[in-house]
Amino acid sequence: MIRVPVEPGLLRWARERAGLAPEELAGKFSKLCEWESGEGQPTLKQLEAFARTVHVPFGYMFLAEPPDEPLPISDFRTVADKANARPSPGLLDTLYAMQRRQAWLREHLVENDAEPLSFAGSARLSDNPDAVGREMRRALGLEEGWAAGVNTWQDAVNELRRMIEKLGVMAVINGVVGNNTHRRLSVEEFRGFALTDGYAPLVFVNGADAKSAQMFTLAHELAHIWLGEAGLSGFERLLPGGTEVEDWCNRAAAELLVPSRELRQRWQQIRRTQRPFEAVARSFKVSPVVAARRAMDLRLIGRSAFFDFYENYVNRERRGGAKSTGGDFYNNQNARVGKLFAVHVMGAAMEGQIGFREAYQLTGLRGGTFQEYAGRLGFGLP
């Protein structure tokens, strides 16, 4: 049986990159410790299986040393021990997939004489983020009290995502890599990211997060598009001390979702109730932590009141854990693929501008699954 000479350090790097301990792979690769020590070598089939398991491109296994895999965008995460951490395979694969989509759509739009989006990159850090938040709200067509009229957080997230796509911004919400439910994205690693561009900007929200938190992330990443600053976000605590860009985007997002004038009016009615922040959260469809932080920023409560609530709420949330439901696969594609992007890809396939194989690769959907989703979007594909 032919063995493949592979650098032991590469095997170790690939395993650690996937965040796996040797014992977690022992059942599938009983000789892994020998491979990593150089005392043994895998067969070609074993090496292929190992690369698939740890989500590493097979070609990497033949390098002389582990490759450098820096984040392809700026890292704006505000938690100190996350900023320099090695990005997970799930995060990298998601970023690369979104960059491919953006590059394709940009080229497609330019070739079809589309006009650049006037708001993309229109703001500066020197601009008042509250004023930009109000401008974003006007551009989206959000009327006063719109969120209070939406029944659930899920409905509110869906509505905000649709409004963002109407502006020409791809808005993707996904808690897994592609459609692979075995590869969940980590909320502890990141909440979302933005890829800026004048023609095909994209915002991505980690769908593994709570729906109420997804609302804020959508707004926050949209502020990145207005500012023209691509980057990865991880603002778990919403506390002071983040980067200048993140603080600016937080303020713009807060004004977009919880306008100061509306909150001051609502606060007079609820400030003496038992759970005022939860009441604000229900009215504006944001996380109670966002509601409390917004009240602190507007000096409706003191810092100590915010910190007390924050610690108590986070402890309750950790004990409760996040709950998610699978939902309808094809309805999920509106968020996972993004209806805006899917319509352009399917239209290009229908007109013969691209082949179906490329359309499958771009959307992550194949064969009958692609056909079914296209049909639901109104495309009668052959």
Side-chain angles (χ1 to χ4, degrees):
M1 190 176 294
I2 300 176
R3 301 283 173 175
V4 180
V6 57
E7 178 61 39
L10 274 172
L11 295 166
R12 224 169 12 253
W13 165 82
R15 173 179 56 75
E16 292 173 353
R17 176 183 182 270
L20 296 170
E23 52 268 24
E24 294 178 87
L25 296 172
K28 194 169 184 179
F29 306 102
S30 59
K31 303 290 186 182
L32 179 59
C33 288
E34 294 180 18
W35 301 345
E36 288 191 7
S37 66
E39 296 174 6
Q41 294 175 333
T43 65
L44 185 62
K45 285 188 176 180
Q46 287 173 330
L47 190 59
E48 288 176 334
F50 175 78
R52 284 196 302 271
T53 300
V54 296
H55 307 293
V56 166
F58 184 55
Y60 281 14
M61 295 290 92
F62 298 95
L63 297 174
E65 58 185 27
D68 184 25
E69 289 186 305
L71 279 168
I73 57 177
S74 298
D75 191 348
F76 291 125
R77 290 173 293 180
T78 56
V79 179
D81 62 350
K82 302 286 177 65
N84 296 316
R86 174 188 289 164
S88 70
L91 171 56
L92 287 173
D93 289 348
T94 297
L95 273 166
Y96 297 152
M98 295 305 108
Q99 287 182 319
R100 286 193 295 272
R101 289 183 186 179
Q102 182 184 58
W104 181 88
L105 184 56
R106 185 186 201 284
E107 182 178 356
H108 174 74
L109 291 172
V110 170
E111 286 179 351
N112 286 275
D113 300 321
E115 294 293 326
L117 302 173
S118 60
F119 59 83
S122 63
R124 298 291 180 269
L125 279 175
S126 57
D127 293 338
N128 184 328
D130 294 337
V132 175
R134 290 189 289 273
E135 178 189 325
M136 292 164 59
R137 191 177 177 88
R138 285 192 296 271
L140 289 166
L142 294 179
E143 298 178 356
E144 183 173 328
W146 77 274
V150 180
N151 291 329
T152 68
W153 270 278
Q154 179 65 71
D155 291 339
V157 170
N158 289 341
E159 184 62 19
L160 181 59
R161 192 192 63 77
R162 285 192 292 267
M163 290 176 175
I164 290 173
E165 290 217 320
K166 281 184 178 179
L167 291 180
V169 178
M170 288 179 282
V172 181
I173 303 175
N174 201 353
V176 298
V177 180
N179 281 310
N180 189 340
T181 55
H182 298 291
R183 299 186 66 190
R184 287 184 61 82
L185 298 174
S186 169
V187 177
E188 285 69 34
E189 183 176 23
F190 79 106
R191 289 286 175 95
F193 59 79
L195 302 179
T196 55
D197 184 74
Y199 289 88
L202 181 148
V203 297
F204 184 96
V205 173
N206 189 337
D209 208 351
K211 300 301 178 188
S212 56
Q214 289 177 28
M215 283 288 288
F216 187 81
T217 304
L218 268 174
H220 175 95
E221 302 307 337
L222 185 62
H224 273 275
I225 301 302
W226 240 264
L227 194 58
E229 287 278 1
L232 184 72
S233 301
F235 36 85
E236 285 90 342
R237 298 183 182 275
L238 295 174
L239 299 177
T243 66
E244 186 180 10
V245 169
E246 288 295 86
D247 288 345
W248 190 97
C249 290
N250 278 351
R251 285 185 58 188
E255 180 62 28
L256 189 161
L257 294 176
V258 189
S260 56
R261 186 174 65 84
E262 290 184 41
L263 178 56
R264 286 193 173 97
Q265 291 174 348
R266 181 85 173 104
W267 190 252
Q268 296 306 313
Q269 304 166 7
I270 62 172
R271 63 193 181 95
R272 298 190 186 282
T273 60
Q274 188 174 4
R275 294 190 171 184
F277 305 128
E278 282 83 349
V280 172
R282 285 192 298 272
S283 293
F284 294 95
K285 299 299 184 295
V286 295
S287 162
V289 171
V290 172
R293 173 63 195 269
R294 187 69 169 139
M296 181 185 73
D297 288 343
L298 296 177
R299 298 184 179 179
L300 300 175
I301 62 170
R303 289 174 61 85
S304 61
F306 169 75
F307 289 122
D308 287 346
F309 172 78
Y310 174 82
E311 293 300 332
N312 182 268
Y313 181 84
V314 168
N315 288 334
R316 290 202 320 265
E317 195 174 55
R318 284 171 180 163
R319 287 194 300 268
K323 297 179 181 179
S324 63
T325 56
D328 179 84
F329 176 84
Y330 293 102
N331 286 339
N332 287 343
Q333 299 316 304
N334 286 333
R336 287 182 177 178
V337 177
K339 189 174 180 180
L340 170 66
F341 179 74
V343 166
H344 279 291
V345 171
M346 290 170 181
M350 281 286 290
E351 295 172 9
Q353 297 176 9
I354 61 172
F356 281 99
R357 178 175 294 182
E358 184 178 0
Y360 295 166
Q361 291 173 340
L362 286 167
T363 60
L365 302 172
R366 288 171 172 75
T369 305
F370 182 91
Q371 302 275 349
E372 174 66 21
Y373 183 49
R376 293 193 179 203
L377 293 182
F379 290 89
L381 298 178

